[in-house]
Amino acid sequence: MTIRPAHQQHPRQFAQFRYVYPVLSRRSHGLSIGLNTNPDRVCNFDCLYCQVDRSAPPPVTPFDLAAAERELRAMLQMDFTRLPQFTGIPAEQLRLHDIALSGDAEPTTVREFSPIIDMIARVKPPGVKIVLITDAGGLDRPDVKRGLQIMDAHDGEVWAKLDAGTANYYRLINRSKIPFAKILKNITGCAEERPVVIQSLFLKIRGGGPSPAEITAYCDRLREISNIKLVQVCTIARQPMTVVDGIPAWKFITALSDAEVDAIRARVSREAGLPAESFYGTAPTPAS
Ligand code: SF4
């Protein structure tokens, strides 16, 4: 049996829990408790690299806030060093860094977004961050804006997805009906209120990565957003579950090499003048 590194395993199902799951997160530099706000798996994006398996019916619907709170309180009582999936990992790496709204789809689509944030703010230990991992599609919703204000007062951080510099590449990668201009406007508006982290994933499609011109446009978009505290340049680290025209995406998309990730990160630093980190992938060989 192949044992994958902890960062390549992000199961969103843990023991008897329906909504919360612990993960060792490279991007958090520690342990993160994921809160799956979208067990219905309905997303406003359809990213080529999505790891959510939508082939089977969703297990739970709709989101149950009271049950999620009970689960979060129970998980916060756990000794993570005793969990089998973290065997051999030093205790200092298992320090709880954040509670992240993430999971099987886009958290800003959830109707009770601000009550969820309010619940996490009440329950979490002091100093533990609330991280919103978002495709930015719903950042302009009034209830989401209310939730963001609660986050601002409770160690909140927004990690907004931006995988393209042009509308054409955005349509190719993220395959959403939401216009690219609206995504950019939402990220810009959010960043006017608070610093944001930009999370960008680049990959190869049938062996070809983003063009140099696409990365130029991407750096231009970054420069247009006023208040970016960090850019995370990533590539795929886990197998995508998306199916395109009947073909599983893992047959034709692959990770960038470490050097290619670093080259984009260097361009972000140089051309957009922003701090950036690289997150490498697995560079799997596409199946023939
Ligand atoms: S990667 Fe995230 S935003 Fe993209 S389709 Fe999957 S759940 Fe939605």
Side-chain angles (χ1 to χ4, degrees):
M1 184 178 73
T2 304
I3 299 187
R4 295 179 297 156
H7 75 265
Q8 290 176 18
Q9 310 171 42
H10 277 209
R12 296 186 189 88
Q13 200 67 45
F14 174 72
Q16 77 278 23
F17 294 90
R18 290 188 297 168
Y19 298 107
V20 297
Y21 53 97
V23 290
L24 194 61
S25 167
R26 290 186 298 168
R27 294 170 210 179
S28 289
H29 302 289
L31 194 83
S32 173
I33 294 178
L35 176 64
N36 186 359
T37 51
N38 301 74
D40 61 4
R41 303 186 193 136
V42 178
C43 196
N44 51 7
F45 274 34
D46 186 16
C47 304
L48 272 183
Y49 56 79
C50 188
Q51 295 139 20
V52 178
D53 182 0
R54 297 188 168 85
S55 60
V60 194
T61 186
F63 185 79
D64 181 336
L65 181 57
E69 176 169 348
R70 281 194 299 276
E71 290 192 3
L72 183 56
R73 286 183 185 278
M75 184 157 286
L76 286 169
Q77 299 302 316
M78 284 185 174
D79 177 358
F80 296 107
T81 63
R82 300 177 84 91
L83 296 180
Q85 67 264 50
F86 299 137
T87 302
I89 294 172
E92 63 271 17
Q93 286 181 33
L94 294 175
R95 184 185 56 83
L96 181 60
H97 177 272
D98 61 67
I99 296 163
L101 278 79
S102 179
D104 288 341
E106 169 53 30
T108 63
T109 61
V110 177
R111 206 176 41 191
E112 60 272 74
F113 181 85
S114 69
I116 293 172
I117 300 294
D118 192 47
M119 179 276 285
I120 300 170
R122 278 188 287 105
V123 169
K124 78 177 182 74
V128 170
K129 288 186 179 182
I130 306 174
V131 173
L132 169 63
I133 302 175
T134 177
D135 65 23
L139 287 177
D140 58 337
R141 291 183 49 222
D143 182 60
V144 171
K145 289 184 171 180
R146 269 194 295 281
L148 292 176
Q149 284 169 354
I150 301 170
M151 284 177 60
D152 292 341
H154 294 87
D155 300 300
E157 203 164 79
V158 177
W159 295 7
K161 181 194 297 291
L162 182 65
D163 297 337
T166 62
N168 277 348
Y169 201 67
Y170 161 79
R171 279 194 291 271
L172 177 70
I173 301 296
N174 300 121
R175 307 188 317 150
S176 175
K177 291 195 176 77
I178 302 172
F180 188 47
K182 174 172 173 171
I183 297 299
L184 293 171
K185 188 165 176 246
N186 281 0
I187 298 175
T188 304
C190 180
E192 280 165 5
E193 305 287 325
R194 62 195 61 78
V196 296
V197 173
I198 298 292
Q199 219 177 43
S200 300
L201 190 147
F202 296 103
L203 46 74
K204 292 181 188 172
I205 303 174
R206 297 188 173 83
S211 68
E214 185 63 36
I215 300 302
T216 301
Y218 165 71
C219 290
D220 289 345
R221 300 293 84 75
L222 291 176
R223 275 203 305 272
E224 290 159 5
I225 301 165
S226 63
N227 201 3
I228 296 175
K229 67 192 283 191
L230 178 69
V231 180
Q232 298 176 341
V233 180
C234 317
T235 188
I236 52 174
R238 295 181 294 279
Q239 181 167 301
M241 300 298 285
T242 311
V243 175
V244 183
D245 298 332
I247 303 170
W250 56 264
K251 289 200 168 192
F252 61 90
I253 71 173
T254 46
L256 299 185
S257 68
D258 296 358
E260 288 164 330
V261 173
D262 283 339
I264 296 174
R265 183 200 20 91
R267 288 195 61 184
V268 168
S269 300
R270 195 171 58 244
E271 295 172 34
L274 292 167
E277 286 183 7
S278 293
F279 294 91
Y280 305 125
T282 51
T285 308
S288 55

